[in-house]
Amino acid sequence: MTAPLGLAALTVLDTAPLEQVDLAEKHGFDTIGIRLLPAAPGTTAYPLHEDPAALDALVRRLEDSPIEVFDLEIIRLGADFDEKDYIPLLEAGARLGARAVLVGGDDRDRARLTDSYARLAALCANYDIVASLEFMPWTAVPDATAAVEIVSQADGPARSVLVDALHVGRSSTTAADLAAIPRDWLHYAQMCDGSVPAPTDDAELIRQAREERLVPGAGGIPLADIWSTLPAGLPVSIELPNEPLRRAVGTDAWLARLVAATRDVLAQVPAVTGH
């Protein structure tokens, strides 16, 4: 089974959604992810939920394209989280046909964080969108075990855990932890590689995650081993920001390289994988 490939927002974050569709078509992607809200204050995002004309234009463009929107970014669960604040984002996502929204956990109060996730998942279910909780080692959801513990307290069809190869390689997550994630909570996974040894401080972990990921196979993360724990054919989002390397060869050559390298990794995964 061939896994659908997605062009993650962070890979070409300087590219507006309409042009992102063009790139996805040109380089053999199946889907795109759109960053509607910034990952950190002052960083790039395209708030289509606040721009009806831009949203309408993208909806029209997608009607004439084989490309689909898979995921939206990013909802952060902080101490003051109110799920009602994200209704416009989810309404826009539903118009775009999005299937997932990426969720980050920032609230160090585990009980409150768990409740916030459950409320968000219940809201997302109204729009046929899953709330994909991504574990990241510098956040309040540092590994796969923590993500499963939080998601397990929610009800309904929107429960989801997002596996990012970089965060697997840089957290305490094991192959057994990945295999223990309920299969129906896995909706897509993010592909990239990373340098080894991994940074030991949060600031550098964050910088590399946002700016300096490596082409699959060029780093030290055991990508084929990670994918051997995931369902066969699970959609793969290529999330690989590295502007120096991208500028050195140009966006077209860069994306072609990422697609080829990702396919090479997926070809190394034993065909018997998936549950």
Side-chain angles (χ1 to χ4, degrees), residues 152-198:
S152 68
Q153 299 304 305
D155 294 318
R159 294 184 291 182
S160 182
V161 173
L162 176 57
V163 174
D164 180 324
L166 188 72
H167 305 324
V168 174
R170 295 183 169 183
S171 71
S172 62
T173 300
T174 66
D177 295 333
L178 296 176
I181 301 172
R183 304 293 90 179
D184 60 343
W185 293 3
L186 292 166
H187 296 87
Y188 69 118
Q190 292 178 328
M191 173 76 78
C192 72
D193 213 330
S195 60
V196 292

Side-chain angles (χ1 to χ4, degrees), residues 3-275:
L5 290 188
L7 177 58
L10 192 56
T11 304
V12 287
L13 194 56
D14 61 345
T15 304
L18 280 173
E19 288 71 38
Q20 194 179 348
V21 175
D22 296 339
L23 288 175
E25 288 178 344
K26 185 174 184 179
H27 293 286
F29 289 91
D30 301 288
T31 66
I32 61 171
I34 302 175
R35 181 161 290 183
L36 301 183
L37 292 174
T43 58
T44 301
Y46 301 91
L48 299 177
H49 55 297
E50 299 174 356
D51 188 340
L55 178 60
D56 288 345
L58 182 57
V59 169
R60 289 194 299 270
R61 176 70 176 86
L62 292 167
E63 288 173 350
D64 297 322
S65 174
I67 303 301
E68 298 178 352
V69 173
F70 192 96
D71 59 302
L72 312 173
E73 301 183 10
I74 175 176
I75 294 178
R76 308 203 75 103
L77 303 179
D80 59 350
F81 174 76
D82 184 343
E83 71 277 11
K84 294 187 293 295
D85 293 342
Y86 300 95
I87 289 174
L89 181 149
L90 294 171
E91 289 177 341
R95 281 201 64 200
L96 293 167
R99 287 171 263 176
V101 61
L102 191 153
V103 182
D106 297 331
D107 190 351
R108 299 290 173 177
D109 183 319
R110 174 60 73 86
R112 187 170 56 203
L113 173 60
T114 300
D115 179 69
S116 293
Y117 176 81
R119 288 186 282 114
L120 176 61
L123 178 64
C124 286
N126 295 334
Y127 299 91
D128 292 324
I129 292 172
V130 298
S132 291
L133 183 62
E134 182 176 14
F135 58 91
M136 304 175 234
W138 61 86
T139 70
V141 190
D143 51 39
T145 298
V148 168
E149 290 172 352
I150 292 165
V151 172
S152 68
Q153 299 304 305
D155 294 318
R159 294 184 291 182
S160 182
V161 173
L162 176 57
V163 174
D164 180 324
L166 188 72
H167 305 324
V168 174
R170 295 183 169 183
S171 71
S172 62
T173 300
T174 66
D177 295 333
L178 296 176
I181 301 172
R183 304 293 90 179
D184 60 343
W185 293 3
L186 292 166
H187 296 87
Y188 69 118
Q190 292 178 328
M191 173 76 78
C192 72
D193 213 330
S195 60
V196 292
T200 56
D201 63 284
D202 286 354
E204 184 61 10
L205 282 170
I206 294 169
R207 189 194 70 79
Q208 289 193 16
R210 293 177 179 169
E211 301 176 12
E212 198 175 282
R213 299 187 184 212
L214 299 181
V215 175
I221 296 175
L223 298 173
D225 291 345
I226 290 170
W227 256 263
S228 74
T229 71
L230 303 176
L234 185 72
V236 176
S237 175
I238 301 177
E239 184 175 67
L240 214 157
N242 193 316
E243 285 307 289
L245 292 181
R246 179 182 163 198
R247 292 193 192 102
V249 299
T251 294
D252 286 333
W254 178 240
L255 292 181
R257 182 181 176 189
L258 299 188
V259 168
T262 297
R263 290 295 188 203
D264 285 346
V265 168
L266 296 177
Q268 297 169 29
V269 180
V272 294
T273 61
H275 311 295

